[in-house]
């Protein structure tokens, strides 16, 4: 159940294969694996090693993804596998993304049944990198849609255009990690390239998906004011000023031992970003002011958050109770 022939590859002479799922475009020798560790050449054919392998399964608040403007206050069944096509030195989930954790076998039907049984909004593909779980996510998302459930991707966004287009009909919401706005940072610390990630985010918005962006601010590496302003301006100009942006606090994990992000740096980034974007939030930090949602027209609190407790005092449907403006929030 855990191995299945992969989509998006071509065969090469000498039983080599070229994987065309992500921009690494790995050329894999017989018996070898791609950067993600879960796509393997078996006698000249590419197989996934993680189809049906589940390392993590939990019913989470939608805000934990984080998605603040997609059915706020809802619970969503969240599932993860193993593997990742990045090698972030600060990986927050390295035990499942970079290691070989224990897993259980699950089918797409099992996951959909579990989501319906728990009263979940739908299914979030998260924890590890769901793009390298591609075939399983695609099969599950189709079944989930048929069952009236929502599909959410929490992803690094590092995928080629053709497979990305294959997901658009089935994925309702995306939280995309833009880990920095510097090619040097991506190459040295993430071991990838941020430009395809930006293309993914822009394409998801163009396809009509709900998109939120997360950037983990890593002390001294991607938190320079100039770089963050470039990121914010790119979001405003390419995704729209209503796109929610989450700045998240880094803590030492995996191979990186830089000190935790100073709260002053997070607040400075929050204040700067709010000059250009309507909705900016801080994660991994106790700052209620920076987790509430404010009407961009009149400034009233429309969604109040204390941890994962959520109330909607200022919303009537999608409109501000105070001034009547329609807001970029999807509600029941």
């Amino acid at each position: 159940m855990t191995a299945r022939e992969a989509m998006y590859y071509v065969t090469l002479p000498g039983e080599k294969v070229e994987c065309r799922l992500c921009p690494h475009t790995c050329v894999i020798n017989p018996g070898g694996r791609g950067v993600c560790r879960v796509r393997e050449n078996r006698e000249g054919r590419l197989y996934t090693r993680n189809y049906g392998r589940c390392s993590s399964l939990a019913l989470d608040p939608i805000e934990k993804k984080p998605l603040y403007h997609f059915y706020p206050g809802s619970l969503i069944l969240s599932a993860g596998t193993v593997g990742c096509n990045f090698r972030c030195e600060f990986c927050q989930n390295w035990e499942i993304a970079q290691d070989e954790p224990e897993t259980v076998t699950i089918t797409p039907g099992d996951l959909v049944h579990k989501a319906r049984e728990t009263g979940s909004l739908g299914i979030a593909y998260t924890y590890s990198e769901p793009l390298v779980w591609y075939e399983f996510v695609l099969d599950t998302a189709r079944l989930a849609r048929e069952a009236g459930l929502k599909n959410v991707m929490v992803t690094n966004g590092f995928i080629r255009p053709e497979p990305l287009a294959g997901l658009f009909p089935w994925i309702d919401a995306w939280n995309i990690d833009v880990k920095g706005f510097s090619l040097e940072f991506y190459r040295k610390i993430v071991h990838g390239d941020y430009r395809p990630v930006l293309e993914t985010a822009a394409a998801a918005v163009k396809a009509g998906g709900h998109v939120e962006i997360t950037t983990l601010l890593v002390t001294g590496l991607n938190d320079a004011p100039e770089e963050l302003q470039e990121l914010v301006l790119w979001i405003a100009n390419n995704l729209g000023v209503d796109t929610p942006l989450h700045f998240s606090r880094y803590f030492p994990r995996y191979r990186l031992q830089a000190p935790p992000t100073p709260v002053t740096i997070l607040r400075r980034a929050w204040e700067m970003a709010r000059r250009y974007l309507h909705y900016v939030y801080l994660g991994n930090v106790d700052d209620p002011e920076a987790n509430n949602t404010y009407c961009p027209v009149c400034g009233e609190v429309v969604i109040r958050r204390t941890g994962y407790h959520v109330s909607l005092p200022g919303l009537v449907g999608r409109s501000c109770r105070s001034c009547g403006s329609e807001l970029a929030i999807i509600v029941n």
Side-chain angles (χ1 to χ4, degrees), residues 7 38-39 45 89 107 204 263 269 308:
M7 302 171 66
V38 294
R39 301 176 87 76
R45 298 171 71 181
E89 301 289 324
T107 68
V263 174
Y308 293 125

Side-chain angles (χ1 to χ4, degrees), residues 242 274 278-279 293-303 313-316 318-327:
D242 283 335
R274 293 180 77 215
H278 289 161
Y279 308 106
T293 299
Y294 304 89
C295 174
V297 178
C298 71
E300 290 296 311
V301 175
V302 293
I303 304 177
L315 278 182
V316 178
R318 297 183 59 177
S319 298
C320 173
R321 185 182 300 275
S322 178
C323 71
S325 299
E326 186 170 289
L327 307 180

Side-chain angles (χ1 to χ4, degrees), residues 34-156:
V35 168
C36 63
R37 300 182 299 110
V38 294
R39 301 176 87 76
E40 182 176 75
N41 182 344
R42 299 184 181 181
E43 298 179 342
R45 298 171 71 181
L46 189 64
Y47 281 81
T48 68
R49 297 178 55 242
N50 62 346
Y51 190 98
R53 287 180 67 189
C54 182
S55 65
S56 310
L57 187 65
L59 189 64
D60 284 339
I62 192 73
E63 287 75 17
K64 194 175 180 179
K65 300 306 100 189
L67 287 173
Y68 276 19
H69 287 224
F70 188 74
Y71 298 94
S74 298
L75 296 175
I76 191 161
L77 186 67
S78 301
T81 185
V82 299
C84 184
N85 51 2
F86 281 162
R87 287 285 183 273
C88 300
E89 301 289 324
F90 52 83
C91 183
Q92 304 292 288
N93 289 324
W94 69 268
E95 295 92 342
I96 61 173
Q98 310 297 341
D99 207 350
E100 287 290 341
E102 291 186 6
T103 59
V104 298
T105 299
I106 194 168
T107 68
D110 292 337
L111 205 50
V112 169
H113 176 76
K114 185 73 172 177
R116 297 186 69 180
E117 184 180 61
T118 57
S120 167
L121 171 68
I123 300 170
Y125 311 94
T126 179
Y127 301 134
S128 58
E129 177 46 57
L131 292 178
V132 302
W133 208 15
Y134 186 91
E135 292 79 7
F136 183 83
V137 168
L138 187 61
D139 289 348
T140 306
R142 287 168 172 161
L143 284 181
R145 176 64 60 78
E146 291 173 5
L149 300 170
K150 304 299 182 185
N151 289 297
V152 167
M153 288 285 281
V154 182
T155 174
N156 65 27

Side-chain angles (χ1 to χ4, degrees), residues 24 56 61 89 181 208-209 212 276 281 293:
H24 285 308
S56 310
E89 301 289 324
F181 215 72
E212 304 193 20
Y276 305 101
Y281 304 102
T293 299

Side-chain angles (χ1 to χ4, degrees), residues 280-319:
V280 185
Y281 304 102
L282 296 183
N284 291 344
V285 63
D286 184 17
D287 190 337
E289 181 187 17
N291 275 280
N292 293 334
T293 299
Y294 304 89
C295 174
V297 178
C298 71
E300 290 296 311
V301 175
V302 293
I303 304 177
R304 193 179 304 279
R305 300 179 183 87
T306 305
Y308 293 125
H309 176 74
V310 179
S311 62
L312 284 64
L315 278 182
V316 178
R318 297 183 59 177
S319 298

